[in-house]
Amino acid sequence: MLIAIGSDHAGLEMKTEIIAVLKELGHEYTDYGTDTPQSVDYPDFGEKVSEAVSTGKTERGILICGTGIGMSIVANKFPNIRASLCNELFSAKMSRLHNDANILVLGGRIIGKDLAKEIVRTWMTTPFEGGRHANRLRKITLIEEKTVRR
Ligand code: RB5
């Protein structure tokens, strides 16, 4: 799978760890930055990754900022994006099973690197359950279409 990944300065260290996990799992990735510890604005990097997933350029994305909150807000502005902030394993699993999340968001200042790596492994390997959940996602798409027309 091709994964878009990005972070701000607060998520940079964790991004490097996550890239190692993606390689270990045999995935390809495009790194949209940031590349230095210098302070940057998370919407700039959230936009690049969300745009890549939203337009189908990459199948899924991973975003990291300090809390994960800013990146989640940015990503969920984009059509076709279901971004899930998962700072523990249960949410990571459920976000795939029930929500078919296509962007995983992590808080680089909230959790340690070992938990983050485990969350990525879980999120990357858990399938969408479909069934009644697919109908709920269709309803989200309808809401998206209605609100875009406003
Ligand atoms: C940067 O200081 C911090 O605000 C950012 O990484 C993120 O936590 C925003 O939600």
Side-chain angles (χ1 to χ4, degrees):
M1 213 185 284
L2 177 60
I3 312 295
I5 187 163
S7 75
D8 68 358
H9 54 287
L12 176 60
E13 237 175 87
M14 187 176 279
K15 180 163 64 100
T16 312
E17 302 282 344
I18 300 307
I19 285 173
V21 175
L22 293 179
K23 284 183 185 165
E24 164 199 305
L25 293 173
H27 296 296
E28 291 183 41
Y29 67 92
T30 306
D31 183 355
Y32 286 91
T34 188
D35 306 316
T36 71
Q38 193 188 331
S39 180
V40 291
D41 298 331
Y42 63 82
D44 298 336
F45 300 89
E47 181 180 9
K48 288 177 191 165
V49 168
S50 305
E51 182 72 20
V53 180
S54 181
T55 57
K57 199 168 164 188
T58 62
E59 203 167 325
R60 291 200 214 164
I62 299 178
L63 283 168
I64 313 152
C65 63
T67 57
I69 295 170
M71 287 296 200
S72 303
I73 293 170
V74 171
N76 281 311
K77 297 284 180 202
F78 285 74
N80 312 314
I81 294 300
R82 294 175 301 279
S84 303
L85 173 55
C86 301
N87 283 324
E88 33 70 34
L89 287 168
F90 185 71
S91 297
K93 186 177 167 190
M94 296 313 286
S95 78
R96 289 290 312 134
L97 285 175
H98 287 192
N99 311 110
D100 198 17
N102 51 11
I103 293 189
L104 169 68
V105 190
L106 297 162
R109 288 175 176 160
I110 306 279
I111 56 169
K113 67 174 184 345
D114 288 342
L115 176 56
K117 287 159 82 172
E118 207 48 41
I119 287 172
V120 170
R121 285 190 195 100
T122 299
W123 192 76
M124 288 303 305
T125 53
T126 305
F128 177 47
E129 227 172 58
R132 66 187 190 280
H133 303 293
N135 192 43
R136 290 162 188 170
L137 296 190
R138 268 194 295 277
K139 290 191 175 190
I140 294 175
T141 304
L142 289 176
I143 292 169
E144 197 173 276
E145 287 167 3
K146 268 195 288 187
T147 51
V148 160
R149 282 200 301 269
R150 272 185 197 155

